[in-house]
Amino acid sequence: MHDYDDHEPEHASSPTAHLLEELSLYGYRPFSDEADPRPLPEERIASGAIADMFDALIATMLDTRLEPDLEELCWSTVNIFHRATGRVQRELDDNEDAQRRSQGEQDGSEVRSVELERLLREGLSLIERRNALEFMREAAGDQYERHFRKPWTPRTGSLVHHKTLTAAMIDSRDFLAAKRKAEIEPLLPTGTRVAFTAGPDYTDHKRIWDVLDRVHAKYPDMVLFHGGNPTGGEHIAMLWARNRKVQHVAFRPEWERYRKAAPFRRNDAMLEAMPKAVIACPGNGINANLVDKARKLGLKVWKVGTSGS
């Protein structure tokens, strides 16, 4: 022992100490060039957690002065996952652009090849994250519909459901082709397209469901076109499509662009999408305009009356 032993000089932290400190403060953080090995949340656990969120929020605010704000807050809860899905989708679009640039820069060197492989891994991880967030958005949307008796829809933009992609990709071009397919198919559904039109005052839901069921039995791959009206027969047709798991496309009038001509321009757009036939319920002049134009194009028109079809 020496007199100066109790005055040990300070040492810099070791790499191991630095790593442990980072983990304790921030958790696992992968480097930019390595994949994140952590798993995605299990569907069962995620669904249960989202159900608990809604139950806790509703139980807290029900029968209080904040109850008028409850529906808006629950809508915003679903929108959190919707916005997160959109953010990851934008990152995925940037990744696609980076892959295209990297493809053009390939010169046979290991550096360029490794860079492209890294971008591919990032893209696959982003697809898995996006699909997981979409699942959580759907689970939250189901809770919203369960509590408020109406489907959740975004205020702006589309509500797109992408098919889950696997990791069975062998190179970047396969990845990009699969991504384009996943992007396009939900927006341009394949199948037998059938247009539906009805006035806002026509609410014979039993007759509408019967007719749509018969058409669906004839065309199992049916895709339903409708005007997206929030009331009346078109709204009933939309609810039928959701219940029967039938793909449907809402052709809403562009009022700001076309003003009074918007409904008629909407009719033109619906017919330009090449439906096989038109189901026509009682309505107004706008509905009659669609039927007249469909007949001039030689399309089948199935009229649904008030007492028979």
Side-chain angles (χ1 to χ4, degrees), residues 10-21:
E10 294 184 2
H11 296 283
S13 298
S14 68
T16 302
H18 178 71
L19 174 62
L20 293 174
E21 183 180 359

Side-chain angles (χ1 to χ4, degrees), residues 98-99 101-121 172:
Q99 284 194 47
R101 288 194 300 270
S102 182
Q103 287 174 5
E105 295 170 354
Q106 291 300 305
D107 56 7
S109 66
E110 184 178 356
V111 172
R112 296 298 186 188
S113 178
V114 169
E115 172 68 11
L116 184 56
E117 291 176 0
R118 180 185 66 80
L119 289 170
L120 175 58
R121 288 196 304 269
S172 181

Side-chain angles (χ1 to χ4, degrees), residues 196 198-204 207-208 231-234 236 281-283 304-306:
F196 179 93
D201 296 327
Y202 186 75
T203 58
D204 192 340
R207 191 171 302 281
I208 291 173
T231 61
E234 292 177 355
I236 294 170
C281 295
V304 178
T306 56

Side-chain angles (χ1 to χ4, degrees), residues 31-200:
F31 292 103
S32 60
D33 59 346
E34 66 179 12
D36 190 338
R38 295 175 296 177
L40 293 168
E42 294 182 15
E43 291 186 1
R44 176 182 57 83
I45 295 176
S47 297
I50 291 171
D52 290 342
M53 289 167 54
F54 274 81
D55 290 343
L57 189 61
I58 291 171
T60 301
M61 301 179 66
L62 201 63
D63 298 327
T64 72
R65 202 183 307 169
L66 296 180
E67 186 173 350
D69 302 306
L70 183 56
E71 182 177 344
E72 179 66 22
L73 288 173
C74 288
W75 183 94
S76 298
T77 302
V78 187
N79 198 48
I80 288 173
F81 295 103
H82 182 61
R83 290 173 63 89
T85 301
R87 175 177 49 78
V88 175
Q89 180 63 51
R90 290 190 292 273
E91 293 180 24
L92 188 55
D93 293 338
D94 292 340
N95 175 270
E96 180 180 1
D97 294 338
Q99 284 194 47
R100 286 203 178 95
R101 288 194 300 270
S102 182
Q103 287 174 5
E105 295 170 354
Q106 291 300 305
D107 56 7
S109 66
E110 184 178 356
V111 172
R112 296 298 186 188
S113 178
V114 169
E115 172 68 11
L116 184 56
E117 291 176 0
R118 180 185 66 80
L119 289 170
L120 175 58
R121 288 196 304 269
E122 289 180 356
L124 292 173
S125 178
L126 286 168
I127 284 179
E128 292 172 349
R129 284 174 56 199
R130 181 199 62 193
N131 291 342
L133 286 169
E134 281 188 351
F135 170 82
M136 298 176 78
R137 179 189 64 190
E138 298 313 306
D142 290 343
Q143 289 294 321
Y144 179 89
E145 184 171 3
R146 172 173 168 264
H147 288 289
F148 297 100
R149 300 293 188 269
K150 59 183 178 182
W152 184 91
T153 54
R155 303 274 166 79
T156 59
S158 299
L159 189 61
V160 181
H161 311 277
H162 295 85
K163 295 180 180 178
T164 303
L165 297 179
T166 69
M169 315 281 181
I170 60 174
D171 63 25
S172 181
R173 287 170 178 79
D174 288 341
F175 164 81
L176 295 178
K179 177 179 180 292
R180 281 194 296 271
K181 183 179 179 181
E183 295 293 338
I184 293 171
E185 283 188 349
L187 295 175
L188 299 175
T190 58
T192 303
R193 300 171 180 182
V194 177
F196 179 93
T197 184

